[in-house]
């Protein structure tokens, strides 16, 4: 499917998806969400892709939120559907992808933009990044998982503060809060993400997929995370990657994982 609102580039098994609506600060309209959903589907099933990086086009913004112009006239039912569809198509999809996803936060990450970054498995921010959930200033609340994922990442008190004040925090503060994994100068953002991706790609893709499922289980209501860990741990013993990893260790050589 051709993408009107995304740029997709592959290099050394790393796929970079760039949200490309810079004149609208990469705001997430419905078309962009659908394209991202498809792009994630494609990346998830493409064995040549080992790690994804999601970023925004231009120097100013990662994603400045859901497209306010698109939902300004919505009814209660339409609002509910917007949230449910978006969560299912994009935000849950990113979080549950079978390979690591890194958000390269290159500027404003507001509302749905911060929610997208929080759905990713890791976040690296440029030092000019600004993050916030400004929804209450528009008379609405975060609807793409923000009330849940922010609370998980930074705790209830700080999540409440960010949502209540609708304010923005700078990258270094986000780092102190535990909202991002790293902060780097803007011109080193993609280099840092590539370094992280390269370190990750040395490891077994099938074990990484299991790790994502096991860690996510901690946040799934009604799921016993330790039980899920036992199941995923056991499954690893049936993979070719496990045989390769343990053989390589004993033969004192580097493992050559295939993801099988
Ligand atoms: N939805 C739709 N359009 C958006 C947008 C959004 N979330 N965020 C920015 N844009 C558009 C602006 O309307 C403007 O478009 P226009 O030139 O056609 O009028 C363009 O992007 C540039 O934004 P502008 O506001 O002129 O840039 P700025 O540097 O003055 O301010 C922000 C930057 C991020 C502070 C400001 O754009 C903003 O507050 N955006 C909304 C953030 C938000 O509330 N997000 C949560 C949505 S639920």
């Amino acid at each position: 499917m051709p993408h009107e609102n995304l740029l997709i580039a592959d290099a050394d098994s790393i796929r970079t998806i760039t949200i490309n609506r810079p004149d609208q600060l990469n705001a997430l309209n419905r078309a962009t969400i659908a394209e991202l959903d498809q792009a994630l589907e494609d990346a998830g099933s493409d064995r040549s892709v080992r790690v994804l990086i999601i970023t925004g086009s231009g120097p100013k913004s990662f994603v400045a939120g859901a497209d306010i112009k698109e939902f300004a006239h919505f009814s209660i039912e339409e609002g509910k559907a917007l949230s449910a569809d978006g969560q299912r198509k994009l935000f849950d999809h990113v979080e549950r992808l079978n390979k690591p996803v890194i958000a390269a936060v290159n500027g404003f990450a507001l509302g749905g933009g911060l929610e997208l970054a929080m759905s990713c498995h890791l976040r690296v921010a440029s030092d000019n990044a600004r993050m916030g959930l400004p929804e209450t200033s528009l008379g609405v609340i975060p609807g793409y998982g923000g009330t849940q994922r922010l609370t998980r990442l930074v705790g209830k008190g700080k999540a409440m503060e960010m949502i209540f004040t609708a304010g923005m925090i700078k990258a270094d503060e986000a780092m102190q809060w535990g909202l991002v994994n790293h902060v780097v100068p803007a011109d080193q953002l993609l280099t840092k993400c590539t370094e992280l991706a390269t370190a990750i790609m040395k490891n077994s893709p099938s074990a990484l997929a299991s790790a994502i499922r096991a860690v996510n289980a901690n946040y799934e209501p009604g799921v016993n995370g330790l039980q899920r860990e036992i199941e995923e741990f056991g499954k690893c013993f049936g993979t070719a990657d496990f045989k390769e990893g343990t053989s390589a260790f004993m033969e004192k050589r580097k493992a050559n994982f295939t993801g099988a």
Side-chain angles (χ1 to χ4, degrees):
M1 178 176 114
H3 298 296
E4 260 182 54
N5 301 295
L6 304 180
L7 302 171
I8 297 184
D10 288 345
D12 303 326
S13 302
I14 302 170
R15 178 163 295 175
T16 302
I17 300 176
T18 304
I19 299 162
N20 189 32
R21 303 181 71 214
D23 56 333
Q24 297 297 302
L25 303 186
N26 306 317
L28 291 177
N29 59 1
R30 274 202 268 202
T32 307
I33 288 179
E35 288 178 22
L36 277 165
D37 183 36
Q38 185 59 51
L40 290 167
E41 197 66 41
D42 295 345
S45 58
D46 186 336
R47 293 174 75 91
S48 71
V49 177
R50 303 276 283 262
V51 176
L52 263 82
I53 297 172
I54 299 181
T55 193
S57 181
K60 196 168 163 182
S61 181
F62 173 69
V63 168
D67 192 318
I68 299 167
K69 292 157 191 161
E70 209 175 55
F71 68 66
H73 60 280
F74 275 12
S75 66
I76 292 174
E77 283 314 312
E78 286 171 314
K80 217 167 149 182
L82 180 76
S83 170
D85 287 353
Q87 287 197 18
R88 181 176 48 81
K89 281 192 184 144
L90 179 54
F91 300 84
D92 293 352
H93 196 169
V94 178
E95 185 170 66
R96 292 180 191 157
L97 206 74
N98 57 356
K99 46 197 76 172
V101 187
I102 304 172
V105 181
N106 58 307
F108 290 116
L110 302 174
L114 182 57
E115 289 172 304
L116 177 59
M118 292 192 296
S119 299
C120 294
H121 303 123
L122 306 175
R123 283 154 293 285
V124 182
S126 59
D127 52 8
N128 65 326
R130 298 283 178 277
M131 283 158 257
L133 292 178
E135 284 87 348
T136 59
S137 72
L138 297 164
V140 68
I141 65 166
Y144 286 152
T147 62
Q148 306 303 298
R149 292 192 181 99
L150 182 63
T151 308
R152 288 169 195 162
L153 282 166
V154 306
K156 187 173 170 184
K158 286 199 156 47
M160 290 287 202
E161 183 179 332
M162 185 179 263
I163 293 167
F164 291 175
T165 63
M168 290 185 212
I169 59 168
K170 293 181 178 173
D172 54 355
E173 207 174 354
M175 182 76 197
Q176 282 165 22
W177 285 24
L179 185 51
V180 298
N181 297 68
H182 301 276
V183 177
V184 293
D187 62 356
Q188 286 164 37
L189 181 63
L190 288 179
T191 307
K192 179 67 189 176
C193 292
T194 304
E195 272 171 27
L196 269 174
T198 305
I200 291 167
M201 288 190 304
K202 293 193 175 118
N203 303 318
S204 151
S206 61
L208 292 169
S210 276
I212 291 168
R213 288 190 291 269
V215 174
N216 281 347
N218 188 43
Y219 304 103
E220 289 170 33
V223 171
N224 180 331
L226 288 172
Q227 186 56 39
R228 174 74 61 82
E229 184 181 277
I230 291 168
E231 284 155 21
E232 293 294 342
F233 181 79
K235 272 201 271 175
C236 294
F237 286 71
T239 64
D241 272 5
F242 173 72
K243 288 185 180 54
E244 169 62 11
T246 48
S247 304
F249 174 79
M250 288 184 287
E251 292 161 17
K252 300 191 186 302
R253 62 174 174 81
K254 268 193 186 164
N256 180 21
F257 292 118
T258 61

